Amino acid sequence: MTDAIQAHLTAAREALAEGRAVDARNSYARAAALSRESGAPLLQAHALRHLSDIDREADHLEQALAHAEQAAALYRANGQGASLDMANALRLKALALDGLRRPGPATAVWREARDLYAAAEVAAGVAECERRLKGAVED
């Protein structure tokens, strides 16, 4: 089943590159479902992260938040709580929280993401988190 999951992930990436967000979303959703069914939690988390990003860009912020939270929970439950993937999931969660105008929870998530980006030595991630945190203080 991993081949089928990978095929959906590839189709989703191609659809995004071609500007077909609905098709990409459908492929990521199918990949997430197949991953859940086959017991591949890290692939499921990966697909959920991308669903979160697509939903956020479409202004479906509650869905984006739910997908990011599910992805983060899967990473934590599967020993990836300190990974770059986790930092990326937290970034999406914080963006959704910002969009939903929930600054308190967003600030805590931005801090956690920043620390993970710093540990992974991803300067761009740290810089984005710092900008977001500075903006939260000034608001």
Side-chain angles (χ1 to χ4, degrees):
M1 187 165 311
T2 302
D3 288 343
I5 296 166
Q6 289 297 340
H8 284 289
L9 292 173
T10 298
R13 282 190 297 274
E14 290 171 357
L16 271 182
E18 295 169 3
R20 297 180 292 115
V22 172
D23 291 338
R25 190 188 189 292
N26 290 339
S27 291
Y28 279 124
R30 188 68 183 130
L34 288 173
S35 299
R36 183 177 45 257
E37 292 169 12
S38 67
L42 297 179
L43 286 174
Q44 181 184 358
H46 176 81
L48 288 167
R49 265 189 17 233
H50 288 283
L51 281 171
S52 176
D53 203 26
I54 291 168
D55 285 342
R56 181 185 54 81
E57 289 180 5
D59 207 29
H60 300 148
L61 298 174
E62 290 290 348
Q63 285 180 289
L65 178 59
H67 291 312
E69 288 176 333
Q70 290 171 4
L74 286 166
Y75 288 130
R76 279 194 175 95
N78 290 279
Q80 299 298 306
S83 68
L84 181 56
D85 287 332
M86 178 63 153
N88 291 332
L90 292 173
R91 174 186 174 272
L92 291 167
K93 180 179 176 179
L95 287 168
L97 288 166
D98 279 346
L100 290 165
R101 302 193 187 283
R102 298 182 191 164
T107 296
V109 178
W110 282 119
R111 285 185 182 130
E112 186 179 357
R114 177 199 56 204
D115 294 346
L116 291 175
Y117 282 128
E121 299 180 358
V122 178
V126 173
E128 178 185 15
C129 294
E130 290 292 342
R131 277 193 314 276
R132 299 287 184 157
L133 288 165
K134 184 179 180 202
V137 171
E138 292 175 358
D139 287 345

